[in-house]
């Protein structure tokens, strides 16, 4: 299973990435993106089953990205 962390703040992404024991949840790969456009591009290349996203970001919001 793959997960994506989407947040425009580097330290928030890093804290989520290192703060969760992904392997214990059955997640093999965890990707990080800093904006919605990068996330959409990544999702066209990888199967992402779980996304943790900031809602308020410059450019595309987290909700717009999910749509």
């Amino acid at each position: 299973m793959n997960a994506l962390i989407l947040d425009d703040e580097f330290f928030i992404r890093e804290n989520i990435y290192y703060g969760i024991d992904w392997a214990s949840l059955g997640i093999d790969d965890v990707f990080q993106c800093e904006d919605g456009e990068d996330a959409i591009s990544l999702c066209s290349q990888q199967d992402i089953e779980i996304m943790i996203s900031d809602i308020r970001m410059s450019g595309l919001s987290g909700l717009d990205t999910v749509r």
Side-chain angles (χ1 to χ4, degrees):
M1 199 170 356
N2 295 331
L4 169 62
I5 302 167
L6 172 60
D7 198 300
D8 54 349
E9 295 186 39
F10 173 78
F11 291 111
I12 300 293
R13 289 193 315 270
E14 290 290 294
N15 283 330
I16 294 170
Y17 182 83
Y18 290 108
I20 296 174
D21 181 3
W22 299 101
S24 72
L25 300 172
I27 297 173
D28 303 310
D29 292 310
V30 180
F31 300 94
Q32 297 184 42
C33 291
E34 65 181 332
D35 62 48
E37 290 85 9
D38 288 344
I40 290 170
S41 177
L42 177 73
C43 288
S44 70
Q45 300 168 13
Q46 299 288 330
D47 291 326
I48 302 296
E49 287 87 10
I50 297 171
M51 183 187 320
I52 299 170
S53 177
D54 187 1
I55 298 298
R56 293 184 182 169
M57 297 184 293
S58 60
L60 287 175
S61 72
L63 295 175
D64 290 335
T65 303
V66 171
R67 285 187 198 116

